[in-house]
Amino acid sequence: MNKETFLQEAKEKESQLIETRHYLHQHAETGFDLTETKAYVKDQLVQMGYEPKDCGKAGVVALAGGKKPGKVFLIRGDMDALPMKEEADVEFKSETGNMHACGHDMHTTMMLGAARLLKEHEDEICGTVKLMFQPAEEIFSGAHDMIEAGVLKNPDVDRALMIHVMAGTPMPAGTVIVTDGGVSASAADFFRITIQGKGCHGSMPNMGVDPVVPAAHVVTGLQEIQTRELALDDSAVVTIGSIHGGQAPNIIPDNVEITGSIRTFDEKIRQYIKDRIEEVSKGIAATFRAEAEVVYYNGCPVLDNDADLSRCVTVYAKELLGPQKAFSQGELLAMSGGKASKGAGSEDFAFISQEVPSIMLALAAGEPEKGYVYPQHHPKVKFDESVLASGSAVYAYTAMRWLEEHQ
């Protein structure tokens, strides 16, 4: 495998990559409802000579290589968009009322670009590259669904890699940052607390059970978990996002619903907080003669990066892109004199990282001084399409190089 020509081959496909990205962007779909997106991805794979398989509710899997014995390296790209109206100044605006404001159309495009490169170099692959096209990342459900459907089996996956484009980043477009070993993204848990009382007229509170008062105490009480029950270095955030109850100023409602989220970097702390939210909520509700029910939904664990894989992928990325376009997280921090920090956001590739040694890469895709000023999830965010070719090459090259070195 010639690294000099490999990147050039990817760049020769740039116009095709941009065309693919525009189609996906215009047909943005959300969650597991990826009818057009999935059909497009499968059709493209079939045209390349693959035999794509459905996996779970809306996932797609394809295999490259397998002609030589060896291990299995998984590369993953997510396909879903966000349920928001686009305001970005682009000629290929979404036509669906949804928006690829997190760059998943870029990821899917780069995965298809990688698929083309892998097919062209299939005889050189020392093992198998498994391509995972995933739905429902934004709701932290897609990776888990595909794992349950067997994405890590038949053949069994040995290592896994994901790339995420980053907009509004003060680094040259196409620069790759390889995450160091350890946790890089927080666990996320969403909860709903229902305080059940007994509705009555506001002039006769003794005839009912007011759920509003215990709900107010629950909101205050939950903050004490973070500030009084965790050690100084046990980073966590408990957020209350909504409170709903009642319809009239003179009526005590039957119930109040509270929703919120938890972000943690440690699985033990994560479970402790979840347990305490239930205990605090039920205890406070009982004090005021009400009842509380706590339900958790759409959570994901911490994203844990494998240290050895991080070292390997850093080497491969530098080989492919050059030392000025590829850095480990530690190298960047040393150059800037900064201190390593974990991402407060969450990523459901974390489910994969809990099962097999994995790595997350960031790909700079828009410098503010060049007009890419908005961050992910903003209705005006834009991504620099010049990174599609290098992203495709990184996906394919790192997989092939790892397999080559670990036969």
Side-chain angles (χ1 to χ4, degrees), residues 5 35 44 79 92 94 154 159 200 209 211 228 230 238 264 271 295 329-330 337 339:
T5 61
T35 305
Q44 291 293 305
M79 303 184 289
F92 49 93
S94 173
N154 301 317
R159 297 292 186 276
C200 64
V209 177
R228 286 295 174 266
L230 300 184
V238 178
T264 52
Q271 189 58 53
V295 176
Q329 184 182 28
K339 181 182 179 182

Side-chain angles (χ1 to χ4, degrees), residues 302-325:
V302 298
L303 200 167
D304 193 15
N305 296 275
D306 182 74
D308 182 66
L309 185 57
S310 174
R311 287 189 290 271
C312 291
V313 171
T314 300
V315 171
Y316 308 152
K318 287 178 183 292
E319 288 176 355
L320 181 70
L321 303 175
Q324 301 307 312
K325 276 293 190 75

Side-chain angles (χ1 to χ4, degrees), residues 52-107:
K53 305 294 183 184
D54 293 342
C55 183
K57 295 177 183 177
V60 177
V61 174
L63 300 177
K67 297 182 178 182
K68 295 180 180 179
K71 297 183 182 295
V72 179
F73 196 101
L74 180 145
I75 56 176
R76 174 272 213 174
D78 34 16
M79 303 184 289
D80 59 318
L82 288 156
M84 58 191 290
K85 185 176 181 180
E86 182 166 20
E87 297 177 15
D89 181 21
V90 295
E91 295 180 358
F92 49 93
K93 279 189 177 181
S94 173
E95 301 170 355
T96 64
N98 304 313
M99 182 188 178
H100 272 295
C102 199
H104 295 186
D105 55 333
M106 301 280 285
H107 302 163

Side-chain angles (χ1 to χ4, degrees), residues 316-373:
Y316 308 152
K318 287 178 183 292
E319 288 176 355
L320 181 70
L321 303 175
Q324 301 307 312
K325 276 293 190 75
F327 303 90
S328 69
Q329 184 182 28
E331 287 174 332
L332 273 185
L333 291 168
M335 290 164 56
S336 65
K339 181 182 179 182
S341 61
K342 302 167 186 174
S346 301
E347 159 64 65
D348 90 338
F349 182 73
F351 284 108
I352 301 291
S353 79
Q354 296 291 319
E355 300 293 330
V356 299
S358 302
I359 190 69
M360 175 181 179
L361 276 61
L363 176 62
E367 300 163 75
E369 56 268 30
K370 293 186 177 181
Y372 299 93
V373 297

Side-chain angles (χ1 to χ4, degrees), residues 117-249:
L117 291 167
L118 290 166
K119 181 58 71 172
E120 292 170 2
H121 291 268
E122 195 160 31
D123 291 341
E124 303 169 46
I125 299 173
C126 301
T128 302
V129 180
K130 182 176 284 192
L131 296 98
M132 174 184 177
F133 294 86
Q134 182 205 305
E137 191 283 326
E138 295 292 359
I139 56 175
F140 303 143
S141 300
H144 183 264
D145 177 70
M146 291 187 73
I147 291 171
E148 291 292 301
V151 71
L152 300 179
K153 303 295 182 183
N154 301 317
D156 293 355
V157 171
D158 294 291
R159 297 292 186 276
L161 172 146
M162 66 159 283
I163 298 176
H164 206 303
V165 292
M166 304 300 292
T169 304
M171 300 186 70
T175 301
V176 167
I177 302 103
V178 183
T179 308
D180 292 335
V183 174
S184 65
S186 69
D189 289 286
F190 297 87
F191 59 85
R192 179 174 60 253
I193 304 169
T194 303
I195 308 294
Q196 185 64 49
K198 180 182 177 183
C200 64
H201 198 279
S203 65
M204 296 178 287
N206 55 300
M207 300 299 292
V209 177
D210 189 346
V212 176
V213 174
H217 282 271
V218 166
V219 171
T220 303
L222 295 186
Q223 301 308 309
E224 299 299 307
I225 299 173
Q226 180 183 345
T227 61
R228 286 295 174 266
E229 297 186 28
L230 300 184
L232 181 62
D233 57 351
D234 289 335
S235 301
V237 173
V238 178
T239 298
I240 300 301
S242 71
I243 305 176
H244 296 284
Q247 296 180 342

